[in-house]
Amino acid sequence: MNDLKIAALVPMRHHSQRVRNKNFRDLAGKPLFHYIIETLAACPEIDRIVVNTDSQPIQEDLAAHYPQVTVLVRPPELCADDIPMNDILLYDTEHVPADLYLQTHSTNPLLKSSTVSKAIHEFLDKKDAYDSLFSVTRLQTRLWDRFTQPINHDPEVLLQTQDLPPVYEENSCIYIFTADNLRARHNRIGRKPLMFETPVEEALDIDEESDFLIADLLMKNRLRS
């Protein structure tokens, strides 16, 4: 199908600001970060999985359970909380050659391998027209800005929410890009990006303690069924 080499990049910090130890905290029976590694490993399109981390426990766990994963030890200058993700991706792409890069997060445990594979295929089918891909969640609800101005609806016309024109939230589940575009724009999203809609039930990103609890319940339900 494709002779391009694809590397999956997964940044993982040891320190977490809002959910303590979230990357290696137990979720539905195993460390949170195991889910995304296993999801990516199940995608035949991906040639290499790369974890950029400053965490010794994560490095040791990867060596024990996923020796096929390439570990990049994050240098101290990239460890601060305010370092942009694009700087970390620039570091990764300098050290791991590939034709395409797919970036996701350990905080997306509900993301399925079939969805990742679908995103790759969709981008490859349309790569002559687009220079990158990012995943989104469709929203069909009444949205307002901070000045109480309607964003996607006319308050004088009370449409059913399912009839509203959709807007899309960047959900941070999947990004696909080339090193050249990343360097040129210092951004993983290019000038001609393709939006890829992911199922709502897979798009949960663990950012707060409540997100972790919800993801734990959803994963336990998925495993039971």
Side-chain angles (χ1 to χ4, degrees), residues 31-56:
L32 170 63
F33 79 88
H34 281 206
Y35 290 99
I36 198 64
I37 297 298
E38 292 172 7
T39 293
L40 296 171
C43 297
E45 302 83 2
I46 293 174
D47 299 283
R48 191 175 180 184
I49 302 171
V50 181
V51 171
N52 179 316
T53 185
D54 63 331
S55 174
Q56 190 66 33

Side-chain angles (χ1 to χ4, degrees), residues 1 5 35 48-49 53-54 82 102 106 111 123 145-146 148 155 164-166 173 176 184 197-198 205 212 218:
M1 182 276 297
K5 295 297 181 184
Y35 290 99
R48 191 175 180 184
I49 302 171
T53 185
D54 63 331
D82 58 353
L102 182 147
S106 57
L111 185 63
F123 179 72
D145 68 17
R146 65 191 181 94
T148 64
L164 290 172
C173 285
I176 299 176
E197 188 175 336
T198 55
D205 181 61
F212 198 101
L218 292 174

Side-chain angles (χ1 to χ4, degrees), residues 137-146 148-155 161 164-169:
T137 304
R138 176 196 292 253
L139 299 178
Q140 284 181 281
T141 188
R142 297 182 187 91
L143 299 175
W144 301 77
D145 68 17
R146 65 191 181 94
T148 64
Q149 295 301 306
I151 292 173
N152 66 330
H153 66 286
D154 181 351
T161 54
L164 290 172
V167 292
Y168 296 90
E169 175 189 9

Side-chain angles (χ1 to χ4, degrees), residues 13-143:
R13 288 195 307 170
H14 182 81
H15 163 71
S16 177
Q17 290 179 282
R18 281 170 285 188
V19 183
R20 184 176 173 82
N21 297 330
K22 69 178 176 182
N23 277 325
F24 40 90
R25 180 174 162 186
D26 182 275
L27 185 141
K30 58 186 174 184
L32 170 63
F33 79 88
H34 281 206
Y35 290 99
I36 198 64
I37 297 298
E38 292 172 7
T39 293
L40 296 171
C43 297
E45 302 83 2
I46 293 174
D47 299 283
R48 191 175 180 184
I49 302 171
V50 181
V51 171
N52 179 316
T53 185
D54 63 331
S55 174
Q56 190 66 33
I58 289 176
Q59 293 172 46
E60 293 172 356
D61 191 288
L62 286 168
H65 295 98
Y66 307 102
Q68 76 276 23
V69 172
T70 299
V71 175
L72 291 181
V73 178
R74 188 172 301 184
E77 63 269 19
L78 293 179
C79 288
D81 291 339
D82 58 353
I83 295 295
M85 178 55 60
N86 288 309
D87 288 355
I88 294 169
L89 297 177
L90 283 166
Y91 180 87
D92 291 350
T93 56
E94 288 172 2
H95 289 81
V96 179
D99 298 301
L100 284 177
Y101 297 90
L102 182 147
Q103 188 242 318
T104 184
H105 293 280
S106 57
T107 51
N108 303 135
L110 298 166
L111 185 63
K112 294 181 178 180
S113 57
S114 57
T115 301
V116 176
S117 291
K118 183 179 178 183
I120 293 171
H121 282 260
E122 189 162 322
F123 179 72
L124 291 174
D125 288 343
K126 300 177 180 180
K127 63 184 175 64
D128 291 338
Y130 299 96
D131 61 5
S132 54
L133 174 147
F134 67 99
S135 59
V136 296
T137 304
R138 176 196 292 253
L139 299 178
Q140 284 181 281
T141 188
R142 297 182 187 91
L143 299 175

